[in-house]
Amino acid sequence: MFSYGGFLQLGKRSALSFFTMGSSCSNNLGIPPGNGPNAVGCTDFMMDHTAEGTFFRLYYPCQEMESAEKPDWVPCKEYFNGLADFMKMNRALSERIFNYLFGSFKIPAYLDAPFKSNEKCPVIIFSHGLGAFRTLYSAICAEMASQGFIVASVEHRDQSASATYYFCDKPESERSNASLTKSSGATQQNLVKEWMYYRALRHGESEFPLRNKQVKQRADECILALDKLTEINSGISVQNVLETQFDWSTLKNSMDLCRIAVMGHSFGGATVIEALCKEVKFKCGVALDSWMTPLDDEIFPRVKQPIFFINSEKFQWAGNISRMKKLDSAVIQRKMITIRGTVHQSFPDFTFLTGNWIGKLMKLKGEIDPELAIDLCNKATLAFLQRHLGLEKNFNQWDPLIDGEDENLIPGTNVNLLQSAI
């Protein structure tokens, strides 16, 4: 079964089927690269080594690199362990399964490649779904970067990610003499990595209080990421706890901070709404198959920015759609479309990395070709962002998609609503 707001949940038997049929799932699969005119780079940033800092994967236009490394889609085995916990599977078994199926896949972006853009870049802050983490939406984020955006994909530390990490100070007795220097390497030597895994609902625990608390923290983390990008753009020297090769000073004056959007999938879609309410610097939001349960009803009338709901055909239900409808406005544009033949997992990268039969069995694929589905999603998003960020691009060629004018789109929703439910 699938959990609301999450990205996948498989039983042990299904996972074993994955493993035994893995060789049939691994041919000619991969995450599609961006279609825009820019090559795409990516790097990681962690501000403040504690859990209160911000941690994100940055995607950006870069110099063309023929020999540059492309990073692993899943950064390390601890994320496989987090997925196992989320799916209630044995860690040792699932690590072998996941590594066999997904360990060879790369993100379609050049690691730490030099930033390059001929103009200031609009900014997107991206929020992942329940049980996901910062790298699992690389098809969407790389496409936005290829089209000229700087995208920060936040890894949330509210215990909704399957796994994430931060650092703690080593005890004084274990500290290195290198602490006398100021190098990042010395800083790393005096820190120890702490992993934070997904926090499941406890027996008898009500879901709303936990998720409502989490969505508020998630929105704050998105705002903190934006604040850090604002500092970087102004030329303030920043300390990245992670030892990356990327030169952050090259991003000075690179961002158009009058043109900022927030985007997310599932629980990340709810985070979009919460973040719009909390931060007016976000000029609009794109919510992909949003899971609305975590939100307080009272925030709906306080959201003043345009919102675009892009839904799958199979995930949504009347109660969830009715909460989206509460955001309808006569004066602020609120749009909704549904992509035919899609499932909730048509937005994360898993949909590109499993064969057709297994993908459909595990509900990681819908009836529509996954690349067509994500292309429709991305083009509709770009058209909406041009309209509401005032971009001087050619994304308006896809304006009809905003209104669902395509054979693979449904204007509004496919869910039947009683008028009394709205």
Side-chain angles (χ1 to χ4, degrees), residues 146-163:
S146 79
Q147 300 288 355
F149 290 82
I150 287 176
V151 184
S153 180
V154 176
E155 189 160 284
H156 290 295
R157 288 163 162 176
D158 61 330
Q159 295 182 290
S160 69
S162 60

Side-chain angles (χ1 to χ4, degrees), residues 186-385:
T187 300
Q188 283 278 334
Q189 288 177 28
N190 291 319
L191 299 174
V192 59
K193 188 179 288 187
E194 287 283 335
W195 281 91
M196 177 188 294
Y197 292 103
Y198 174 73
R199 199 283 227 184
L201 284 175
R202 302 186 179 103
H203 180 71
E205 182 180 15
S206 176
E207 184 159 48
F208 177 77
L210 173 63
R211 301 309 182 204
N212 182 251
K213 180 180 178 182
Q214 287 176 323
V215 79
K216 288 176 166 59
Q217 179 177 334
R218 285 166 142 262
D220 289 341
E221 288 172 343
C222 289
I223 294 166
L224 186 57
L226 177 58
D227 290 344
K228 187 50 57 175
L229 289 181
T230 301
E231 288 184 19
I232 292 167
N233 188 68
S234 69
I236 295 174
S237 179
V238 295
Q239 169 109 26
N240 184 9
V241 179
L242 306 176
E243 297 179 9
T244 68
Q245 300 300 311
F246 183 70
D247 182 359
W248 290 89
S249 68
T250 60
L251 292 179
K252 181 179 180 180
N253 294 324
S254 66
M255 300 173 224
D256 187 342
L257 296 178
C258 294
R259 295 178 168 88
I260 304 167
V262 60
M263 186 175 184
H265 171 245
S266 197
F267 202 175
T271 307
V272 166
I273 310 303
E274 187 77 30
L276 290 171
C277 182
K278 286 188 167 187
E279 180 52 78
V280 296
K281 291 177 184 175
F282 293 122
K283 302 303 181 186
C284 62
V286 180
L288 308 175
D289 227 13
S290 182
W291 178 48
M292 302 293 288
T293 300
L295 296 167
D296 291 305
D297 282 345
E298 66 184 39
I299 78 163
F300 295 154
R302 291 160 43 199
V303 179
K304 305 302 182 185
Q305 303 95 316
I307 302 170
F308 192 15
F309 292 104
I310 303 179
N311 294 336
S312 72
E313 187 175 10
K314 302 298 184 182
F315 174 73
Q316 293 297 335
W317 66 100
N320 207 50
I321 294 291
S322 68
R323 302 201 82 209
M324 294 181 191
K325 292 287 189 180
K326 289 181 180 180
L327 284 153
D328 281 353
S329 169
V331 294
I332 305 166
Q333 189 167 80
R334 304 285 160 76
K335 290 288 189 178
M336 183 188 298
I337 60 172
T338 300
I339 306 176
R340 295 184 190 276
T342 49
V343 295
H344 196 48
Q345 310 312 316
S346 294
F347 300 94
D349 296 334
F350 272 103
T351 193
F352 307 109
L353 306 182
T354 50
N356 196 49
W357 186 82
I358 288 289
K360 288 181 178 178
L361 179 66
M362 299 299 106
K363 298 183 180 178
L364 299 174
K365 290 182 187 287
E367 296 301 319
I368 190 173
D369 177 82
E371 291 199 32
L372 174 57
I374 212 69
D375 189 56
L376 286 166
C377 174
N378 287 334
K379 286 176 176 175
T381 295
L382 290 166
F384 187 82
L385 294 178

